[in-house]
Amino acid sequence: MFPYPSGALHMGHLRVYTISDVLARFKTMQGHKVLHPMGWDAFGLPAENAAIERGIDPMIWITENISNMKDQLMAMNARFNWECELTTCDPGFYKHTQSIFLLLYKHGMAYQADSVVNFDPIDRTVLANEQVDSRGNSWRSGAKVKKIKLKQWFLRITTFKEELLKDLDILAKDNRWPERVIAMQRNWLGKSKGAKIRFPIRMQLGGQEIGESVEVFTTRPDTLFGVQYLALSLSHPIVRQMTMHSPQLQAFTHAAADLPEGSKAGFVLPGVYAVNPYSRVAQDSPILRIPLPVYAAPYVLDDYGEGAVMGVPGHDHRDHAFWKENQGTETIRHVVVPLDSAEGIPIPHFLHCQDRGVMAAPGKLTTLCDDGLAGKGSAEASKEIIADLAAVDGSAEESEIWRLRDWLISRQRYWGTPIPIIHCSSCGPVSVPEDQLPVQLPLLSGIDFRGKGGNPLESVDEWVNVLCPQCHGPAKRETDTMDTFVDSSWYHMRYPDARNEDRPFDIGAIDEKLPVDIYVGGLEHAILHLLYARFVTKFLYRIGQWPSGGGLENHGEPFGKLVTQGMVHGKTHTDPQNGRFLKPEEIDYANSEKPVIQGTDVSPSVSWEKMSKSKHNGVNPTQCIDKHGADAVRAHMLFQAPVSEVLEWEEDRIVGIHRWFGRVWEVTEKVQEQFNSLLGLSDNSHMLRLPRISTFNEREKLVWASVQHTTERTTTALSDTHTLNTVISDLIKLTNTLYAAVSRNEVRLAIVLNATSALLRMLAPIAPAFAEECWERLSCASKAARTSSSNDSIPTIFTEPFPTSDGSLQGLTCQTQHCSVQENGKLRFVVEIAQPPASLFDGKTSAALHEWVIEQLKDTEKGKIWFSRNPQRQWKRVVVVRNGSTVNFVR
């Protein structure tokens, strides 16, 4: 996913682009034609706010930032197709964003309507529902969002709701997308099946009783006998009507905006009550004849059904909390019990097992319900209740609702793509002709566009006032700009044809490259960006702009494999007494094992949290690369955590990667030294060819088995599972095996050469510069040994193929065995060694077998540690049994 050019890369950028670069280089070495593009999501509020603070044009600020971040991307050894680079604030790009908007408008998918919208008072702009968090705050500024009414532009994403939901099954197949992202999108689309039920309302206004009705949506019609109140949203027509007659209600609705998140405050509407509609069916039921109070309640959403809910405190957690706060100790009615509950058992007997006294799960209806319903399961009872109400007075019907709402794209700010519409008093809204695109933003030099609630573009008369394209009379441009998510909803389709001036993209170009094979980005984009991109791409597929849609089984889905990387957290220190975040210089590390706060003996509290300036836990990627080298930082970042998990950045641990690189370099040097010994030989070519595996000795089999095992695991990790941390660990193991082999000089040069070649080629996508350096050294030595000349240029390692398995692993691995090492009969450790050759024993254990097994143990990591602590002279005797599968050292 392309970045916002904020001015500097952070560690999250470094992680995501390291992952994508590794995968791109791997696919290139496999022989694929890879497009690994880069662009800049450059429109948006931060750039405009920064420009206001600095008194400069946003484009100047953005251009400087892009230049700086591009240098940083180069420094991290990432390789991108810069010839496809795009910037969303470039008129050459947003010309086509406007063109796509006009296609949406032409097909009835873009429209303008009055709407109560989310308004950010800090950034002074409108937000889509998806940009307001669960606490009612702006996703960017963090400000408490206000509700105001404005005329806004929307995209009709709800037209595609069924496709967006159904085609999640395509993305779930073969783990194309992570289950968590699938679930988040499914929940956001929010398809709920249930029923619409109409409750009669009685209102006393001005001394007269007025009859109204309120329609609610419920997924649980079986709980109708448990309804104890109705709750209406603050914008419901009945609440608005009552507000005009009740100063107390008016004060409550004004104060509601300041209520804490999750508040269950309510205002009972005086003189208003509801009637349970099933009372017309079960006319003898005493509980259905009880009038139901009606509340104005902030917890009821305007856009859920008709902005009304039936309150069932015995069977819904939110309703239960609301009832407890507003009705105190009033009895809660339970009308559904578990299916396996026995007849006659009091309800309190099973309630203690339920969550906070709420029986939220379906079950069977109790005897409080109508005789014909009691004992029936929730599903059966629901259908019967709906049918009864429909037959009596048509007050119920099966229905479904969706959480998804049309996408609000209007923004009352300058720095965004202008909406290409002209408003004419005679013709109405008119599309800007295609040959007049792009509608470019005017320069605002000399204009104070800090605006206090207004749109800065409205003040640019020479830009706003134009002629109508149809009647040529006076008209005005649309002054709202588009949400930046419109830009990113289609940018992936631009990359394959990034320099096309006439059209957003060529059909042939996108058919060749789309859908995107691998898409890497953060989980925070699971709903906003990914959902919008799916919608716009499917729209373009539907109208024939992408005829193939990626194939019959793809249905216009834009992204193939989705890889979501976890966040990067930094080590965070706080003062345990007041919770204040501490700067690094406030920590005294004199005792590294127990640092304290400067000037005290108090140890700081330590946690791992998202990196931020306010927490003083950020790490500058450029400084880190300058200190450790880009390849070491890349490898360390991949090794520290699985791709999808949170990475806790511990820079001091990077020393392990340095040690590994050092060992790889030593292996390369030792192989080079062996080559040097061949320089004087007239015919040495046969010594560089890989021998037949049947001629391998035991040590050579171990080495080659390690190569094959690592090749298979690394290929699987890079192409399928994307467990890149295991790639590093497997390559470290192979390096250690090779190091032992070249140190003991027991493996023929041709085998060592091929094994080292495989190691470096598998290392290349991860550490491209370091692998290239080792490859050049290895290739120079090999070339000199063959030709007596090393002056010719050496091809880059990235022209070499990624290693593939030769199918020998199964035959090689059967030559190894586990060896249990004991001390005086007590197990100390278990390692894997080669199976001893038959020549070492003749039916009974020989001294040669003893010596061979001990040498094998000394070559293992655990064995080295063991023998360093326990010199051989300490043992009275060594017992080797079961052909070397058990060794007992006896003191």
Side-chain angles (χ1 to χ4, degrees), residues 233-266:
S233 75
L234 300 187
S235 299
H236 193 280
I238 289 178
V239 175
R240 289 204 303 267
Q241 185 178 6
M242 292 295 295
T243 300
M244 294 186 292
H245 300 274
S246 172
Q248 293 87 354
L249 176 57
Q250 192 174 64
F252 176 80
T253 57
H254 286 320
D258 298 321
L259 290 172
E261 175 63 23
S263 171
K264 295 301 182 288

mmCIF file of all heavy atoms in Angstrom, residues 233-266:
data_model
loop_
_atom_site.group_PDB
_atom_site.id
_atom_site.type_symbol
_atom_site.label_atom_id
_atom_site.label_comp_id
_atom_site.label_asym_id
_atom_site.label_seq_id
_atom_site.Cartn_x
_atom_site.Cartn_y
_atom_site.Cartn_z
ATOM 1 N N SER A 233 -34.126 7.028 18.705
ATOM 2 C CA SER A 233 -32.945 7.872 18.534
ATOM 3 C C SER A 233 -33.327 9.326 18.747
ATOM 4 O O SER A 233 -34.509 9.701 18.654
ATOM 5 C CB SER A 233 -32.355 7.686 17.137
ATOM 6 O OG SER A 233 -33.159 8.339 16.163
ATOM 7 N N LEU A 234 -32.341 10.155 19.006
ATOM 8 C CA LEU A 234 -32.619 11.559 19.291
ATOM 9 C C LEU A 234 -33.122 12.308 18.063
ATOM 10 O O LEU A 234 -33.666 13.413 18.184
ATOM 11 C CB LEU A 234 -31.354 12.242 19.828
ATOM 12 C CG LEU A 234 -30.783 11.632 21.122
ATOM 13 C CD1 LEU A 234 -29.634 12.486 21.647
ATOM 14 C CD2 LEU A 234 -31.856 11.471 22.187
ATOM 15 N N SER A 235 -32.943 11.711 16.866
ATOM 16 C CA SER A 235 -33.425 12.354 15.640
ATOM 17 C C SER A 235 -34.735 11.772 15.145
ATOM 18 O O SER A 235 -35.221 12.142 14.068
ATOM 19 C CB SER A 235 -32.358 12.224 14.535
ATOM 20 O OG SER A 235 -31.166 12.862 14.909
ATOM 21 N N HIS A 236 -35.310 10.853 15.895
ATOM 22 C CA HIS A 236 -36.564 10.234 15.470
ATOM 23 C C HIS A 236 -37.662 11.306 15.394
ATOM 24 O O HIS A 236 -37.711 12.218 16.230
ATOM 25 C CB HIS A 236 -36.956 9.132 16.450
ATOM 26 C CG HIS A 236 -38.042 8.248 15.942
ATOM 27 N ND1 HIS A 236 -39.378 8.602 15.988
ATOM 28 C CD2 HIS A 236 -38.004 7.010 15.355
ATOM 29 C CE1 HIS A 236 -40.111 7.635 15.462
ATOM 30 N NE2 HIS A 236 -39.304 6.651 15.073
ATOM 31 N N PRO A 237 -38.560 11.224 14.425
ATOM 32 C CA PRO A 237 -39.611 12.245 14.285
ATOM 33 C C PRO A 237 -40.431 12.466 15.551
ATOM 34 O O PRO A 237 -40.804 13.604 15.867
ATOM 35 C CB PRO A 237 -40.471 11.689 13.143
ATOM 36 C CG PRO A 237 -39.525 10.856 12.339
ATOM 37 C CD PRO A 237 -38.582 10.249 13.321
ATOM 38 N N ILE A 238 -40.734 11.405 16.290
ATOM 39 C CA ILE A 238 -41.524 11.572 17.517
ATOM 40 C C ILE A 238 -40.729 12.349 18.557
ATOM 41 O O ILE A 238 -41.273 13.221 19.252
ATOM 42 C CB ILE A 238 -41.962 10.193 18.068
ATOM 43 C CG1 ILE A 238 -43.020 9.587 17.145
ATOM 44 C CG2 ILE A 238 -42.486 10.316 19.495
ATOM 45 C CD1 ILE A 238 -43.498 8.206 17.574
ATOM 46 N N VAL A 239 -39.425 12.073 18.659
ATOM 47 C CA VAL A 239 -38.591 12.803 19.621
ATOM 48 C C VAL A 239 -38.513 14.265 19.216
ATOM 49 O O VAL A 239 -38.631 15.170 20.062
ATOM 50 C CB VAL A 239 -37.184 12.177 19.713
ATOM 51 C CG1 VAL A 239 -36.279 13.022 20.618
ATOM 52 C CG2 VAL A 239 -37.273 10.748 20.229
ATOM 53 N N ARG A 240 -38.319 14.528 17.927
ATOM 54 C CA ARG A 240 -38.251 15.920 17.473
ATOM 55 C C ARG A 240 -39.572 16.655 17.746
ATOM 56 O O ARG A 240 -39.590 17.823 18.140
ATOM 57 C CB ARG A 240 -37.900 15.966 15.983
ATOM 58 C CG ARG A 240 -36.460 15.555 15.676
ATOM 59 C CD ARG A 240 -35.996 16.159 14.357
ATOM 60 N NE ARG A 240 -36.857 15.782 13.250
ATOM 61 C CZ ARG A 240 -36.658 14.736 12.458
ATOM 62 N NH1 ARG A 240 -35.606 13.958 12.666
ATOM 63 N NH2 ARG A 240 -37.487 14.471 11.462
ATOM 64 N N GLN A 241 -40.672 15.938 17.535
ATOM 65 C CA GLN A 241 -41.978 16.548 17.791
ATOM 66 C C GLN A 241 -42.158 16.859 19.276
ATOM 67 O O GLN A 241 -42.627 17.935 19.657
ATOM 68 C CB GLN A 241 -43.084 15.607 17.303
ATOM 69 C CG GLN A 241 -44.482 16.193 17.414
ATOM 70 C CD GLN A 241 -45.540 15.233 16.879
ATOM 71 O OE1 GLN A 241 -45.237 14.099 16.531
ATOM 72 N NE2 GLN A 241 -46.779 15.701 16.801
ATOM 73 N N MET A 242 -41.751 15.908 20.135
ATOM 74 C CA MET A 242 -41.899 16.108 21.576
ATOM 75 C C MET A 242 -40.957 17.187 22.101
ATOM 76 O O MET A 242 -41.265 17.871 23.089
ATOM 77 C CB MET A 242 -41.625 14.791 22.307
ATOM 78 C CG MET A 242 -42.663 13.698 22.069
ATOM 79 S SD MET A 242 -44.296 14.136 22.718
ATOM 80 C CE MET A 242 -43.955 14.214 24.471
ATOM 81 N N THR A 243 -39.820 17.358 21.429
ATOM 82 C CA THR A 243 -38.853 18.363 21.878
ATOM 83 C C THR A 243 -39.455 19.763 21.849
ATOM 84 O O THR A 243 -39.148 20.607 22.701
ATOM 85 C CB THR A 243 -37.581 18.310 20.987
ATOM 86 O OG1 THR A 243 -37.003 17.010 21.082
ATOM 87 C CG2 THR A 243 -36.559 19.330 21.439
ATOM 88 N N MET A 244 -40.319 19.994 20.887
ATOM 89 C CA MET A 244 -40.939 21.319 20.777
ATOM 90 C C MET A 244 -41.865 21.620 21.951
ATOM 91 O O MET A 244 -42.214 22.764 22.203
ATOM 92 C CB MET A 244 -41.703 21.415 19.456
ATOM 93 C CG MET A 244 -40.798 21.368 18.229
ATOM 94 S SD MET A 244 -41.700 21.649 16.686
ATOM 95 C CE MET A 244 -42.696 20.159 16.605
ATOM 96 N N HIS A 245 -42.293 20.588 22.680
ATOM 97 C CA HIS A 245 -43.245 20.772 23.780
ATOM 98 C C HIS A 245 -42.606 20.513 25.154
ATOM 99 O O HIS A 245 -43.306 20.650 26.166
ATOM 100 C CB HIS A 245 -44.438 19.823 23.604
ATOM 101 C CG HIS A 245 -45.192 20.040 22.329
ATOM 102 N ND1 HIS A 245 -46.200 20.978 22.203
ATOM 103 C CD2 HIS A 245 -45.056 19.456 21.111
ATOM 104 C CE1 HIS A 245 -46.672 20.947 20.963
ATOM 105 N NE2 HIS A 245 -45.998 20.031 20.274
ATOM 106 N N SER A 246 -41.318 20.139 25.175
ATOM 107 C CA SER A 246 -40.683 19.780 26.446
ATOM 108 C C SER A 246 -39.298 20.407 26.550
ATOM 109 O O SER A 246 -38.350 19.927 25.918
ATOM 110 C CB SER A 246 -40.574 18.253 26.582
ATOM 111 O OG SER A 246 -39.804 17.903 27.718
ATOM 112 N N PRO A 247 -39.149 21.483 27.339
ATOM 113 C CA PRO A 247 -37.821 22.083 27.545
ATOM 114 C C PRO A 247 -36.836 21.094 28.165
ATOM 115 O O PRO A 247 -35.646 21.139 27.866
ATOM 116 C CB PRO A 247 -38.105 23.251 28.503
ATOM 117 C CG PRO A 247 -39.552 23.559 28.315
ATOM 118 C CD PRO A 247 -40.220 22.253 28.021
ATOM 119 N N GLN A 248 -37.341 20.197 29.023
ATOM 120 C CA GLN A 248 -36.450 19.220 29.654
ATOM 121 C C GLN A 248 -35.869 18.256 28.609
ATOM 122 O O GLN A 248 -34.685 17.923 28.640
ATOM 123 C CB GLN A 248 -37.207 18.418 30.730
ATOM 124 C CG GLN A 248 -37.641 19.245 31.927
ATOM 125 C CD GLN A 248 -38.998 19.903 31.701
ATOM 126 O OE1 GLN A 248 -39.567 19.828 30.594
ATOM 127 N NE2 GLN A 248 -39.510 20.556 32.751
ATOM 128 N N LEU A 249 -36.713 17.813 27.678
ATOM 129 C CA LEU A 249 -36.233 16.934 26.606
ATOM 130 C C LEU A 249 -35.265 17.685 25.705
ATOM 131 O O LEU A 249 -34.246 17.135 25.250
ATOM 132 C CB LEU A 249 -37.409 16.401 25.789
ATOM 133 C CG LEU A 249 -37.059 15.537 24.573
ATOM 134 C CD1 LEU A 249 -36.219 14.327 24.967
ATOM 135 C CD2 LEU A 249 -38.344 15.092 23.850
ATOM 136 N N GLN A 250 -35.546 18.946 25.449
ATOM 137 C CA GLN A 250 -34.649 19.752 24.617
ATOM 138 C C GLN A 250 -33.269 19.864 25.261
ATOM 139 O O GLN A 250 -32.242 19.716 24.591
ATOM 140 C CB GLN A 250 -35.263 21.134 24.428
ATOM 141 C CG GLN A 250 -34.576 21.984 23.359
ATOM 142 C CD GLN A 250 -35.319 23.291 23.127
ATOM 143 O OE1 GLN A 250 -35.412 24.119 24.031
ATOM 144 N NE2 GLN A 250 -35.861 23.468 21.928
ATOM 145 N N ALA A 251 -33.258 20.094 26.585
ATOM 146 C CA ALA A 251 -31.984 20.180 27.305
ATOM 147 C C ALA A 251 -31.246 18.841 27.267
ATOM 148 O O ALA A 251 -30.018 18.792 27.125
ATOM 149 C CB ALA A 251 -32.238 20.611 28.746
ATOM 150 N N PHE A 252 -32.012 17.747 27.387
ATOM 151 C CA PHE A 252 -31.392 16.414 27.356
ATOM 152 C C PHE A 252 -30.739 16.138 26.008
ATOM 153 O O PHE A 252 -29.607 15.632 25.943
ATOM 154 C CB PHE A 252 -32.450 15.347 27.652
ATOM 155 C CG PHE A 252 -31.942 13.939 27.542
ATOM 156 C CD1 PHE A 252 -31.205 13.361 28.570
ATOM 157 C CD2 PHE A 252 -32.188 13.182 26.403
ATOM 158 C CE1 PHE A 252 -30.730 12.057 28.466
ATOM 159 C CE2 PHE A 252 -31.712 11.880 26.286
ATOM 160 C CZ PHE A 252 -30.987 11.321 27.322
ATOM 161 N N THR A 253 -31.414 16.471 24.928
ATOM 162 C CA THR A 253 -30.850 16.203 23.597
ATOM 163 C C THR A 253 -29.607 17.053 23.343
ATOM 164 O O THR A 253 -28.660 16.591 22.700
ATOM 165 C CB THR A 253 -31.897 16.467 22.501
ATOM 166 O OG1 THR A 253 -32.365 17.819 22.607
ATOM 167 C CG2 THR A 253 -33.061 15.502 22.629
ATOM 168 N N HIS A 254 -29.577 18.293 23.855
ATOM 169 C CA HIS A 254 -28.391 19.135 23.694
ATOM 170 C C HIS A 254 -27.216 18.585 24.490
ATOM 171 O O HIS A 254 -26.070 18.640 24.054
ATOM 172 C CB HIS A 254 -28.700 20.573 24.138
ATOM 173 C CG HIS A 254 -29.556 21.337 23.167
ATOM 174 N ND1 HIS A 254 -29.401 21.251 21.809
ATOM 175 C CD2 HIS A 254 -30.596 22.214 23.371
ATOM 176 C CE1 HIS A 254 -30.280 22.023 21.198
ATOM 177 N NE2 HIS A 254 -31.037 22.624 22.136
ATOM 178 N N ALA A 255 -27.504 18.063 25.691
ATOM 179 C CA ALA A 255 -26.430 17.559 26.562
ATOM 180 C C ALA A 255 -25.917 16.200 26.118
ATOM 181 O O ALA A 255 -24.837 15.772 26.541
ATOM 182 C CB ALA A 255 -26.939 17.479 28.002
ATOM 183 N N ALA A 256 -26.682 15.511 25.272
ATOM 184 C CA ALA A 256 -26.318 14.138 24.892
ATOM 185 C C ALA A 256 -24.973 14.062 24.186
ATOM 186 O O ALA A 256 -24.260 13.066 24.300
ATOM 187 C CB ALA A 256 -27.411 13.543 24.006
ATOM 188 N N ALA A 257 -24.603 15.138 23.460
ATOM 189 C CA ALA A 257 -23.332 15.118 22.714
ATOM 190 C C ALA A 257 -22.136 15.000 23.641
ATOM 191 O O ALA A 257 -21.071 14.517 23.229
ATOM 192 C CB ALA A 257 -23.207 16.372 21.862
ATOM 193 N N ASP A 258 -22.292 15.420 24.893
ATOM 194 C CA ASP A 258 -21.182 15.383 25.845
ATOM 195 C C ASP A 258 -21.211 14.162 26.745
ATOM 196 O O ASP A 258 -20.381 14.047 27.656
ATOM 197 C CB ASP A 258 -21.208 16.650 26.709
ATOM 198 C CG ASP A 258 -21.031 17.914 25.869
ATOM 199 O OD1 ASP A 258 -20.223 17.872 24.917
ATOM 200 O OD2 ASP A 258 -21.704 18.920 26.167
ATOM 201 N N LEU A 259 -22.164 13.268 26.519
ATOM 202 C CA LEU A 259 -22.222 12.064 27.347
ATOM 203 C C LEU A 259 -21.046 11.159 27.029
ATOM 204 O O LEU A 259 -20.562 11.105 25.891
ATOM 205 C CB LEU A 259 -23.535 11.318 27.085
ATOM 206 C CG LEU A 259 -24.809 11.990 27.606
ATOM 207 C CD1 LEU A 259 -26.030 11.229 27.109
ATOM 208 C CD2 LEU A 259 -24.804 12.055 29.134
ATOM 209 N N PRO A 260 -20.550 10.410 28.013
ATOM 210 C CA PRO A 260 -19.422 9.504 27.756
ATOM 211 C C PRO A 260 -19.817 8.374 26.821
ATOM 212 O O PRO A 260 -21.008 8.038 26.687
ATOM 213 C CB PRO A 260 -19.074 8.973 29.150
ATOM 214 C CG PRO A 260 -20.330 9.130 29.942
ATOM 215 C CD PRO A 260 -20.994 10.367 29.417
ATOM 216 N N GLU A 261 -18.806 7.796 26.171
ATOM 217 C CA GLU A 261 -19.038 6.692 25.254
ATOM 218 C C GLU A 261 -19.705 5.532 25.996
ATOM 219 O O GLU A 261 -19.328 5.166 27.099
ATOM 220 C CB GLU A 261 -17.706 6.226 24.653
ATOM 221 C CG GLU A 261 -17.811 5.008 23.765
ATOM 222 C CD GLU A 261 -18.661 5.252 22.534
ATOM 223 O OE1 GLU A 261 -18.795 6.429 22.151
ATOM 224 O OE2 GLU A 261 -19.175 4.291 21.962
ATOM 225 N N GLY A 262 -20.710 4.956 25.350
ATOM 226 C CA GLY A 262 -21.404 3.827 25.953
ATOM 227 C C GLY A 262 -22.455 4.216 26.970
ATOM 228 O O GLY A 262 -23.008 3.339 27.654
ATOM 229 N N SER A 263 -22.754 5.495 27.090
ATOM 230 C CA SER A 263 -23.744 5.933 28.068
ATOM 231 C C SER A 263 -25.104 5.304 27.779
ATOM 232 O O SER A 263 -25.523 5.181 26.631
ATOM 233 C CB SER A 263 -23.864 7.463 28.044
ATOM 234 O OG SER A 263 -24.967 7.890 28.834
ATOM 235 N N LYS A 264 -25.783 4.917 28.839
ATOM 236 C CA LYS A 264 -27.132 4.365 28.713
ATOM 237 C C LYS A 264 -28.164 5.314 29.308
ATOM 238 O O LYS A 264 -29.209 4.902 29.816
ATOM 239 C CB LYS A 264 -27.197 2.993 29.403
ATOM 240 C CG LYS A 264 -26.332 1.931 28.741
ATOM 241 C CD LYS A 264 -26.723 1.710 27.296
ATOM 242 C CE LYS A 264 -25.903 0.611 26.639
ATOM 243 N NZ LYS A 264 -24.520 1.023 26.394
ATOM 244 N N ALA A 265 -27.862 6.621 29.234
ATOM 245 C CA ALA A 265 -28.811 7.620 29.712
ATOM 246 C C ALA A 265 -30.056 7.592 28.833
ATOM 247 O O ALA A 265 -29.994 7.274 27.643
ATOM 248 C CB ALA A 265 -28.174 9.011 29.690
ATOM 249 N N GLY A 266 -31.182 7.920 29.420
ATOM 250 C CA GLY A 266 -32.422 7.960 28.662
ATOM 251 C C GLY A 266 -33.366 9.015 29.214
ATOM 252 O O GLY A 266 -33.223 9.468 30.359
#
